[in-house]
């Protein structure tokens, strides 16, 4: 199976990064699958399997330039999802590149969680990608309208859909507007909420494994274990990612500001610029909470995510500063050895 560059998601943003000489001697390909030491790429000549290049850090969705079948250059990304690695590791982990639309999937059961959705929205806004909230298991809920309204209050302009992911026709119909030829979608959400079922419906195949969830807590197992781009019948591409239970924010201040723009606008209206939003007079945030104009839950989650982002970003900055200091120290030692060797030769 072969695709044109446009069908693979090639846009003017990438074209402008190539010189005329590069356009003549290189071949643009897109990374559609990634393992530890191998990359699956797709170009106009078809699919290729490449050996991973040491020290390169691409992720699925990236565009590469090949020269005589070998990776030559990684193109600048139009959008990038990244997170702090789970656990105590402060390094960032690349999730997906060059995505146009993010489908944020939550199930209408125990998985429904506005705090977690706001976390995803911060990540999506930071990447500059359009979010579309997808609520699954609508056939098992008696409070669809209420849940849709709760999500819609987070952002009145954000598309919010609700359906039964097992109804393939309904899935394709409701998501049709975001599945045009050459468009790239990403699936984000917890395990067991129906991401792989949605992928199967959109790709009109059972290529993605699916698994059920436990009835007692509505939690599922990770069905997708690697990131890959799947071609859809509509001509779009779908990125299916493993469920992310621990999505830590890092270097995401702009995304948080966009997600909580209403909160930050209130904070800017406080009488004192250094208001702690406690007992200070003229606190617009506290007044909004007391008047029911701002949910206490949303305010508390905003503070929590701000602290988390600041902590993770500071850890990353400290690690990078330490690496730079070590490099300078190593250069000093090498230079000193060279001077000593020169003196000894004399």
């Amino acid at each position: 199976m072969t695709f044109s560059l446009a069908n693979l998601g090639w846009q003017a943003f990438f074209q402008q990064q190539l010189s005329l000489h590069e356009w003549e001697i290189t071949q643009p390909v897109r990374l559609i699958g990634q393992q530890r030491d191998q990359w699956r790429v797709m170009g106009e000549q078809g699919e290729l399997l490449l050996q991973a290049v040491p020290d390169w850090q691409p992720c699925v969705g990236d565009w590469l330039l090949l020269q005589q079948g070998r990776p030559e250059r990684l193109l600048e990304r139009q959008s990038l999802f990244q997170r702090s690695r789970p656990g105590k590791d402060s390094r960032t982990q690349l999730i997906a590149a060059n995505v146009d639309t993010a489908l944020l999937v939550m199930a209408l059961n125990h998985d429904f969680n506005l705090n977690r959705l706001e976390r995803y929205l911060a990540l999506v806004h930071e990447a500059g990608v359009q979010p579309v909230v997808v609520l699954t298991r609508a056939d098992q809920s008696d409070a669809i309208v209420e849940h849709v309204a709760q999500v819609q209050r987070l952002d009145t302009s954000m598309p919010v859909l609700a359906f039964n992911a097992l109804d393939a026709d309904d899935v394709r119909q409701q998501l049709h507007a975001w599945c045009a030829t050459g468009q790239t979608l990403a699936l984000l959400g917890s395990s067991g909420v129906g991401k792989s079922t949605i992928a199967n419906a959109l790709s009109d195949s059972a290529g993605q494994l699916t698994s059920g969830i436990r009835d007692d807590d509505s939690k599922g197992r990770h069905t997708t274990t690697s990131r890959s781009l799947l071609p859809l019948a509509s001509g779009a591409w779908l990125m299916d990612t493993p469920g992310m239970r621990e999505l830590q924010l890092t270097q995401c201040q702009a995304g948080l500001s966009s997600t909580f723009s209403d909160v930050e606008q209130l904070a800017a209206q406080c009488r004192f610029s250094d208001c702690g939003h406690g007992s200070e007079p003229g606190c617009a945030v506290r007044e909004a909470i007391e008047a029911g104009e701002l949910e206490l839950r949303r305010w508390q989650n905003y503070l929590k995510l701000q602290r988390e982002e600041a902590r993770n970003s500071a850890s990353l900055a400290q690690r990078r500063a330490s690496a730079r200091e070590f490099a300078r120290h190593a250069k000093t030692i090498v230079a000193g050895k060279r001077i000593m060797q020169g003196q000894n030769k004399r």
Side-chain angles (χ1 to χ4, degrees):
M1 182 180 299
T2 59
F3 299 88
S4 69
L5 290 181
N7 287 347
L8 285 168
W10 184 260
Q11 301 176 24
F13 176 84
F14 307 111
Q15 180 73 45
Q16 293 168 358
Q17 298 180 47
L18 274 68
S19 66
L20 290 177
H21 181 64
E22 281 182 316
W23 184 248
E24 293 175 353
I25 67 172
T26 62
Q27 171 191 355
V29 295
R30 196 171 190 192
L31 185 59
I32 64 171
Q34 186 176 18
Q35 297 177 347
R36 179 170 299 180
D37 57 353
Q38 289 185 324
W39 300 338
R40 282 196 305 117
V41 299
M42 180 74 75
E44 290 184 315
Q45 286 71 36
E47 184 176 331
L48 297 172
L49 190 63
L50 305 177
Q51 190 71 23
V53 179
D55 299 328
W56 280 34
Q57 293 184 330
C59 62
V60 172
D62 267 328
W63 282 94
L64 314 173
L65 295 183
L66 303 185
Q67 185 172 359
Q68 297 181 345
R70 296 182 178 180
E72 179 72 16
R73 185 160 72 91
L74 177 67
L75 295 185
E76 181 183 346
R77 299 161 177 129
Q78 190 170 34
S79 65
L80 175 65
F81 286 98
Q82 58 184 339
R83 67 171 183 178
S84 179
R85 291 179 182 272
K88 297 181 179 180
D89 193 337
S90 63
R91 293 177 298 171
T92 55
Q93 179 182 22
L94 305 185
I95 302 173
N98 301 317
V99 172
D100 299 300
T101 304
L103 304 180
L104 309 182
V105 187
M106 288 197 310
L108 292 172
N109 52 25
H110 295 79
D111 181 73
F112 187 85
N113 188 307
L114 294 177
N115 283 3
R116 185 172 63 249
L117 178 57
E118 288 169 341
R119 182 184 293 268
Y120 279 113
L121 285 172
L123 178 75
V124 171
H125 286 142
E126 183 69 28
V129 175
Q130 179 188 9
V132 175
V133 177
V134 175
L135 304 177
T136 60
R137 301 188 180 273
D139 57 313
Q140 301 175 18
S141 174
D142 297 325
I144 299 176
V145 175
E146 177 185 346
H147 283 114
V148 169
Q150 288 178 349
V151 173
Q152 199 71 77
R153 282 197 291 271
L154 302 181
D155 184 347
T156 56
S157 64
M158 180 173 60
V160 182
L161 311 175
F163 52 64
N164 173 13
L166 296 175
D167 187 341
D169 290 336
D170 192 28
V171 171
R172 288 191 289 267
Q173 181 178 355
Q174 293 209 44
L175 292 176
H176 174 75
W178 297 279
C179 296
T181 298
Q183 290 292 293
T184 301
L185 299 89
L187 281 165
L188 300 174
S190 302
S191 302
V193 296
K195 298 192 306 299
S196 294
T197 303
I198 293 172
N200 289 341
L202 293 177
S203 61
D204 197 23
S205 73
Q208 292 295 104
L209 297 175
T210 58
S211 62
I213 61 173
R214 299 191 296 264
D215 292 331
D216 56 348
D217 60 3
S218 302
K219 292 183 179 179
R221 296 180 178 180
H222 292 280
T223 299
T224 304
T225 57
S226 63
R227 297 179 180 88
S228 60
L229 272 177
L230 307 173
L232 304 184
S234 66
W237 292 84
L238 179 66
M239 188 170 301
D240 197 17
T241 65
M244 294 181 289
R245 291 189 181 277
E246 189 179 352
L247 186 61
Q248 294 287 313
L249 301 183
T250 184
Q251 296 183 318
C252 198
Q253 188 57 55
L256 283 172
S257 294
S258 179
T259 302
F260 294 94
S261 59
D262 58 329
V263 176
E264 296 198 347
Q265 288 173 6
L266 283 172
Q269 297 172 20
C270 290
R271 180 184 301 177
F272 303 107
S273 59
D274 60 347
C275 182
H277 313 297
S279 58
E280 295 89 342
C283 175
V285 171
R286 191 179 67 254
E287 291 173 358
I289 293 174
E290 293 174 351
E293 299 171 356
L294 174 64
E295 291 183 57
L296 179 61
R297 175 210 64 79
R298 183 164 169 79
W299 168 246
Q300 292 175 336
N301 196 41
Y302 168 74
L303 295 178
K304 174 184 176 182
L305 295 180
Q306 284 283 2
R307 290 192 297 267
E308 177 184 305
E309 195 277 338
R311 182 179 64 251
N312 289 336
S313 295
S315 297
L316 181 63
Q318 290 168 0
R319 188 180 64 82
R320 288 176 175 172
S322 178
R324 288 194 295 268
E325 180 62 29
F326 177 80
R328 286 195 293 267
H329 182 63
K331 288 181 180 179
T332 301
I333 293 177
V334 171
K337 287 183 177 180
R338 288 176 179 173
I339 292 174
M340 291 296 295
Q341 290 173 352
Q343 293 175 347
N344 291 336
K345 289 181 180 179
R346 294 174 189 161

